[in-house]
């Protein structure tokens, strides 16, 4: 049956306007690459020009790699509003080992100590940095984990024995750079399995109906700097309860098996 004129125009509009068809998340990674010589220090030199993948809605670039022992993710965030959102609420890296776009073992980072941050930024501190982001970097004390089979939900030390590590820095272009690593044994998967996994990366936040997902509309309202709640609400939840679970930013999903050397 021939398409009528209205249908043809609608199809053309959808093809030409990806935002109409689905929320634009940018150039999404389609497969994982083999990782070599990755050092978790927040410096992205060893990633070269590979951070070509982007989550356009949240304005960051990323790349996920693995080797025979670990899965790695690097993220680079140029926008300063997004950086402040990250210091307030963290980045999240999730792996669903069943290959489903659902929750799974998740690493949240950074987790800064609120008292340390206040001390660093105090007017009485002679070494107080003018840039709040640098103060927040100095106050990072932990990583937060959820839904790992053999690691209790909650904060773990930056120097933990689980092999889950993360670091953040500001690069010479003033972008926030973050690296994370999760051992495959913590996920109970192996390169030889060959099964498709689901990986999700995002800046934590909630979506207010009708607001889109701009930083100004994803604030938690717990007080703090830059309008962002510096107290880690959901998922960190330091004793503060929401009346109901909010709709979270979905992030970007990468569906792929682990890379083989």
């Amino acid at each position: 049956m021939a398409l009528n004129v209205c249908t043809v125009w609608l199809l053309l509009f959808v093809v030409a306007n990806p935002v109409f068809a689905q929320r634009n998340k940018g150039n999404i990674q389609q497969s994982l690459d083999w990782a070599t010589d990755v050092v978790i220090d927040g410096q992205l030199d060893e990633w070269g020009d590979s951070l070509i993948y982007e989550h356009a809605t949240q304005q960051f670039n990323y790349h996920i790699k693995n080797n025979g022992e670990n899965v790695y993710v690097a993220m680079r965030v140029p926008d300063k509003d997004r950086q402040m959102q990250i210091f307030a609420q963290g980045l999240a890296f999730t792996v669903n080992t069943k290959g489903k776009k659902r929750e799974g073992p998740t690493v949240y980072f950074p987790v800064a100590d609120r008292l340390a941050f206040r001390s660093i930024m105090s007017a009485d501190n002679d070494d107080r940095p003018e840039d709040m982001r640098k103060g927040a970097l100095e106050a990072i004390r932990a990583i937060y984990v959820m839904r790992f089979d053999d690691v209790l939900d909650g904060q773990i030390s930056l120097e933990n024995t689980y092999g889950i590590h993360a670091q953040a820095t500001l690069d010479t272009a003033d972008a926030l750079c973050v690296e994370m690593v999760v051992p495959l044994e913590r996920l109970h998967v192996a390169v030889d399995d060959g099964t498709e996994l689901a990986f999700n990366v995002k800046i934590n936040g909630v979506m207010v109906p009708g607001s889109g997902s701009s930083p100004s509309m994803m604030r938690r309202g717990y007080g703090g700097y830059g309008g962002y709640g510096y107290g880690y609400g959901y998922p960190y939840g330091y004793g503060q309860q929401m009346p109901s679970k909010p709709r979270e930013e979905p992030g970007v999903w990468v569906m792929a098996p682990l890379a083989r050397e």
Side-chain angles (χ1 to χ4, degrees):
M1 182 181 294
L3 296 175
N4 60 41
V5 173
C6 291
T7 302
V8 171
W9 276 109
L10 178 61
L11 290 173
L12 289 173
F13 180 79
V14 170
V15 171
N17 295 270
V19 174
F20 179 86
Q22 63 178 2
R23 211 155 157 262
N24 178 20
K25 296 187 178 71
N27 176 27
I28 298 175
Q29 185 172 348
Q30 300 299 317
S31 61
L32 270 61
D33 296 311
W34 189 260
T36 57
D37 302 323
V38 175
V39 178
I40 304 301
D41 56 5
Q43 306 287 340
L44 304 184
D45 296 343
E46 67 267 37
W47 295 80
D49 297 325
S50 67
L51 266 65
I52 58 174
Y53 306 109
E54 64 174 340
H55 186 346
T57 304
Q58 288 200 325
Q59 301 170 287
F60 68 81
N61 291 79
Y62 69 94
H63 197 167
I64 304 169
K65 296 182 179 183
N66 70 272
N67 58 22
E69 298 179 350
N70 302 302
V71 58
Y72 303 88
V73 62
M75 287 169 273
R76 185 174 186 274
V77 188
D79 184 79
K80 289 186 177 181
D81 274 347
R82 292 291 182 183
Q83 293 173 17
M84 295 301 285
Q85 183 184 347
I86 290 166
F87 287 127
Q89 301 178 70
L91 289 159
F93 177 50
T94 297
V95 183
N96 182 288
T97 59
K98 304 298 183 184
K100 306 293 185 182
K101 293 182 179 180
R102 298 175 184 171
E103 64 183 20
T106 303
V107 178
Y108 300 94
F109 181 81
V111 180
D113 182 272
R114 288 171 289 175
L115 294 178
F117 179 79
R118 293 192 185 111
S119 176
I120 290 169
M121 298 306 298
S122 170
D124 296 329
N125 182 5
D126 293 336
D127 297 322
R128 175 188 178 188
E130 295 182 4
D131 190 333
M132 284 189 177
R133 299 171 304 158
K134 294 181 179 179
L137 282 172
E138 292 179 31
I140 294 174
R141 296 291 185 269
I143 300 166
Y144 198 96
V145 297
M146 289 183 70
R147 293 181 289 272
F148 284 86
D149 289 342
D150 52 1
V151 184
L152 291 176
D153 289 358
Q155 291 188 35
I156 60 174
S157 168
L158 295 176
E159 302 299 328
N160 63 81
T161 59
Y162 302 114
I164 300 171
H165 299 295
Q167 288 291 337
T169 62
L170 292 170
D171 67 14
T172 55
D174 226 18
L176 178 65
C177 301
V178 175
E179 291 178 299
M180 301 184 197
V181 59
V182 179
L184 299 183
E185 66 176 352
R186 295 286 171 222
L187 302 170
H188 305 292
V189 297
V191 170
D192 293 338
D193 293 345
T195 57
E196 184 176 76
L197 307 177
F199 305 88
N200 185 272
V201 289
K202 69 178 180 180
I203 302 172
N204 280 333
V206 296
M207 299 173 64
V208 178
S211 73
S213 59
S214 64
S216 62
M217 296 304 292
M218 296 174 68
R219 300 170 182 169
R220 299 313 308 255
Y222 293 155
Y225 60 86
Y228 295 106
Y230 196 78
Y232 300 102
Y234 183 89
Y236 305 118
Y238 293 141
Q240 299 175 350
Q241 301 295 324
M242 300 293 288
S244 61
K245 184 176 179 179
R247 182 187 175 198
E248 299 173 58
E249 161 62 40
V252 57
W253 286 99
V254 176
M255 312 295 293
L258 294 169
R260 298 190 181 191
E261 188 174 13

